[in-house]
Structures are given as C-alpha cells and as structure tokens.
Amino acid sequence: MYIVSVRDKRVKALVDNPSKTSVKGFTALEVRKVAEMIGALTVMTHPLQLLSVPSWRAHELTPGQPGKWAMTVTPNYRLTFHVDLDRQEIHLLDYEDYH
C-alpha cells in the first residue's frame, strides 16, 4: 500500500528514509520497530496481514472509527493509520500515546 499522509514528523522521517538508524525523539527500539511496521504497511494488501506478527497486536479501532487501525510499538505508544482498501492507500499515519 502507498502511504499518502503522515501526521508525526518522526514517523515521516522514517517513511522518507527507511534506512535511518536514529530519529530525534525516538529511542533506538522505537526506530527499529516503527521502521519494521512501515515496511510491512507498504507491502501489505490488506490490514489483516499484520496479524501475522503477534507482538504488534494489530487491531481495528472500533466502534466509531471504521478503517482506523493500530499497532503497538511500546506499552504506551501505538502507530495508528486509516486504510483505504479500494485505493490501496494509508492515510494519517501517526504515533499516538495510548494512555
């Protein structure tokens, strides 16, 4: 899928340059995990494919937010995004505090 828009500037830095090893504001663990997740998002054809990595705990946010998905990066933070299956696009990719 094609990533159309990114809200978080740290995530944007990794979308623009996936081989980055450090991003200001992210720990090394967060950089590695977010980069892996972005890689998976770009090659997937359906969000259910993300369930193949149990540690990411990928799930659709319901009710009231159809098409919005989340994946766990750290216990307090998750990567969230909207999926347009018809266009095979990801919108509003963001790094959000869960609590």
Side-chain angles (χ1 to χ4, degrees), residues 78-92:
R78 60 187 175 177
L79 200 63
T80 60
F81 53 94
H82 288 270
V83 175
D84 184 341
L85 287 174
D86 295 333
R87 293 184 176 188
Q88 290 290 295
E89 294 176 342
I90 295 170
H91 298 271
L92 302 173

Side-chain angles (χ1 to χ4, degrees), residues 2 21 23 27 29 64 73 76 89 99:
Y2 181 71
T21 57
V23 174
T27 65
L29 173 68
V73 178
N76 286 351
E89 294 176 342
H99 294 95

Side-chain angles (χ1 to χ4, degrees), residues 10-93:
R10 300 165 296 182
V11 175
K12 176 102 171 100
L14 290 172
V15 168
D16 292 342
N17 185 358
S19 61
K20 274 190 156 214
T21 57
S22 67
V23 174
K24 186 176 180 180
F26 273 167
T27 65
L29 173 68
E30 289 170 312
V31 170
R32 184 181 56 79
K33 284 187 83 173
V34 171
E36 288 174 0
M37 290 174 174
I38 290 169
L41 291 174
T42 58
V43 298
M44 75 176 188
T45 55
H46 194 283
L48 291 176
Q49 293 171 322
L50 299 172
L51 299 177
S52 64
V53 184
S55 64
W56 290 351
R57 298 194 333 230
H59 60 283
E60 188 171 13
L61 299 176
T62 53
Q65 300 184 47
K68 186 172 183 180
W69 284 74
M71 295 187 293
T72 301
V73 178
T74 69
N76 286 351
Y77 287 91
R78 60 187 175 177
L79 200 63
T80 60
F81 53 94
H82 288 270
V83 175
D84 184 341
L85 287 174
D86 295 333
R87 293 184 176 188
Q88 290 290 295
E89 294 176 342
I90 295 170
H91 298 271
L92 302 173
L93 184 61

